[in-house]
Amino acid sequence: MDEQNKNMLMAVGLSFVVILLWVLLFAPEEPQPPVEGQQVQQEGISEDGVAVTPPTTGSAVSLASNTLGEVPLDEALENSKRITISTPSLTGSISLAGGRIDDLSLKKYNETLKEDSDIVRLLSPAGVNSAYYVLFGWSPAGNLEFDDVPGSSTPWTIESGRDITPETPLVLAWTNDKGVTFRRIIEVDEDYLFTVTQSVTNNGNVTLRMAPYGIIARHGEPQNLQNFFILHEGVVRMTDGELQEVDYDNVPDLDYDTVERANLEKQTVQSNGWVGFTDKYWMTTLAPQSGTPFTSVAKYSDRTDIYQAESRYHAVEVYPNSTVETVTYLFAGAKQWTPIKNYQDNYGIDRFEDSIDWGWFFFLTKPIFQLLYWINGKVGNMGWSILCLTLIIKAFLFPLAYKSYVSMARMKELQPEMEKIKERVGDDRKRMQQEMMAMYRERKINPAAGCLPILPQIPIFFSLYKVIFVTIEMRHAPFVLWVRDLSAPDPTSILNLFGALPWSAPETGSLLALISLGVLPIMLGVSMWLQQKLNPAPTDPTQAMVFAWLPWVFMFMLGQFASGLIIYWIANNLITFAQQYIIMRSQGVKPDILGNIRNGFAKTNLPIVGTPKQKEELPPPKAKGSAKKGKKKK
């Protein structure tokens, strides 16, 4: 086999192996002592199944089991008085019982592409299936009891405001029996950020000690948990510049048999951090103001099947006739890059853009996404933006491609001399290799140059795959004709003749879907096959057979990949074909595409497509048997 085909086989084989491995493989501090004089709270269960409030910072936090049976959402929402939330991006309500933010949906996102599809629900109240909500409050210390501070079911009163909008915040108030007044101001912007200001006013003559907190509670794992190897779903948090991602299976279980509950997962944050839960496209996180020390907690109770992410502030002294307040940012919404970057830059939420799962190749995925995002701002369609991105990437890699194709063209000129070497040395492979390398050195040709364009393409392909898979900007993004969601596989299917037959295509993810090729995967296979035909098939029939099947193997392997990625690869193949053809012609080599196709059929024993005259031009098959044997006599 000549060096050109050997390099191509190595490059394609390397790509195949790396993609196959990608598909198959991917995928605490000492507890602080309780505040002096504070007893550890024993396991408590609220009447409505809400996770109980934590005790003072530094001691353990109990989790409550859901004592209510599952009830319909409407019934759960009617169990308490509510204040409406209405913004351009959000709709929902908060419960005056505990001041819980437990009813939130995203106006701009639907569950599916169907016209009658419901909008995406993010938060749900306790009592419903997969309850998911946010709590705020104060933990007592010193001379205070738990009845002296607002809890998860405290009946708050409205001090000012009617609905929560970007223009109208809500102020809640509650006063205990000792004359201490607690207030909670809830503000929201036009996107997904709540600003919750908690304050306590000591109207007595005794200094009080307490600690504010915020809790995100999630009952059970998400129903649509994907458990995909390249996607993180679970706890995500930043601790003074260090990002930590904890899958649901790895969130530490709370051991109720130990009083100190020493296996709580805690991180002490000195100045900047945040903690919460992330899904593929949605996220809920708590972020104290920049410069505020706190304890970041993530835990799970096997008894109650409740996950909690907490921000516990240090205990504060509230002197007589004084007020103390603390501010917490709550992000609850879609992981859109623009709002998240805005909160990072303007609200001091440290490295908040890293809450998007950029993956191991973050040094590539982030700039690729930012470039794609910028192009989309100019073009207005993600599909066309991917095509523009492909052109930019190919232009960036053109120097490598030019060097590679020139080397391949020069090696093609050496084919006659290489054949002479083979005839001269016979089966002495070592001598043949030495003479060929000597010829390469004499002509200043690098036989490995053919692999140069392939090597950088592999991490770029994986990075673009990650970007298309995890970024919400790709979700339900249309292109042209039948491509209505660039983040999903091609919806057409060869099994129903692309919609001509009266039955639907197999459901994505099923075994039958693996062979249910759509238009885009077939176009991908054809483009790879066409690119392959720029060069003659290997002389060895086995190697020729391997080359002949590679495009179609890749076609089936990538058939269920996102449409956006398939579009990128098709465009990449066609541009590569054009580049290679033009460069080879400029070097005096005219690729015989039709001849390579005919010879390829012949060497792989496949049916020959062409006229009788074309068939006659093919080399005759070798005669079987010895040449000395005569014809059999009749």
Side-chain angles (χ1 to χ4, degrees), residues 19-221:
I19 291 176
L20 184 62
L21 290 175
W22 178 268
V23 172
L24 294 178
L25 296 181
F26 288 93
E29 299 176 357
E30 291 296 326
Q32 302 175 9
V35 178
E36 182 179 356
Q38 173 66 33
Q39 295 182 351
V40 177
Q41 179 187 1
Q42 301 301 316
E43 179 181 3
I45 300 176
S46 63
E47 294 181 357
D48 53 2
V50 178
V52 299
T53 57
T56 306
T57 300
S59 53
V61 179
S62 294
L63 294 165
S65 61
N66 192 344
T67 57
L68 295 179
E70 293 182 4
V71 298
L73 176 63
D74 293 342
E75 181 179 335
L77 294 176
E78 293 174 356
N79 287 334
S80 64
K81 295 182 180 179
R82 296 191 163 270
I83 302 298
T84 301
I85 299 172
S86 181
T87 76
S89 303
L90 301 171
T91 182
S93 62
I94 72 166
S95 171
L96 290 180
R100 310 173 212 154
I101 303 177
D102 61 358
D103 172 30
L104 202 62
S105 298
L106 312 181
K107 287 182 176 180
K108 298 179 180 179
Y109 296 95
N110 295 82
E111 293 287 354
T112 66
L113 287 171
K114 297 180 179 179
E115 294 183 359
D116 58 347
S117 174
D118 294 333
I119 60 176
V120 172
R121 169 167 288 276
L122 182 64
L123 302 180
S124 301
V128 304
N129 187 28
S130 300
Y132 188 16
Y133 49 87
V134 184
L135 299 166
F136 295 92
W138 296 81
S139 298
N143 54 355
L144 290 176
E145 303 293 338
F146 279 94
D147 292 340
D148 297 328
V149 295
S152 61
S153 300
T154 298
W156 291 82
T157 58
I158 301 173
E159 191 169 86
S160 66
R162 297 177 62 89
D163 297 333
I164 303 176
T165 70
E167 295 78 26
T168 57
L170 176 69
V171 181
L172 303 178
W174 179 76
T175 302
N176 65 13
D177 295 338
K178 297 180 180 179
V180 180
T181 300
F182 296 85
R183 287 185 177 84
R184 187 174 301 168
I185 304 174
I186 303 175
E187 304 169 89
V188 65
D189 69 357
E190 294 186 353
D191 293 310
Y192 308 111
L193 193 70
F194 291 84
T195 302
V196 180
T197 304
Q198 298 186 88
S199 68
V200 54
T201 300
N202 185 1
N203 299 312
N205 52 11
V206 178
T207 300
L208 305 175
R209 194 162 186 249
M210 63 189 74
Y213 65 84
I215 295 177
I216 303 173
R218 190 163 207 168
H219 293 220
E221 295 182 354

Side-chain angles (χ1 to χ4, degrees), residues 280-281 468-469 471 474-477 485-489 561-564:
K280 180 178 181 179
Y281 294 125
I468 292 175
F469 186 78
T471 55
M474 289 291 178
R475 182 181 186 267
H476 294 177
D485 185 358
L486 290 169
S487 68
F561 277 43
S563 299

Side-chain angles (χ1 to χ4, degrees), residues 4 34 146 167 175 183 198 204 226 240 277 318 353-354 372 388 429 461 476 490 509 521-522 527 569 597 609 634:
Q4 178 179 335
F146 279 94
E167 295 78 26
T175 302
R183 287 185 177 84
Q198 298 186 88
Q226 298 198 17
D240 292 320
F277 295 107
V318 187
E353 64 177 340
D354 288 337
L372 188 61
C388 293
R429 292 183 174 273
F461 172 80
H476 294 177
D490 189 329
I522 294 175
S527 68
W569 203 324
I597 292 174
V609 179
K634 295 184 180 179

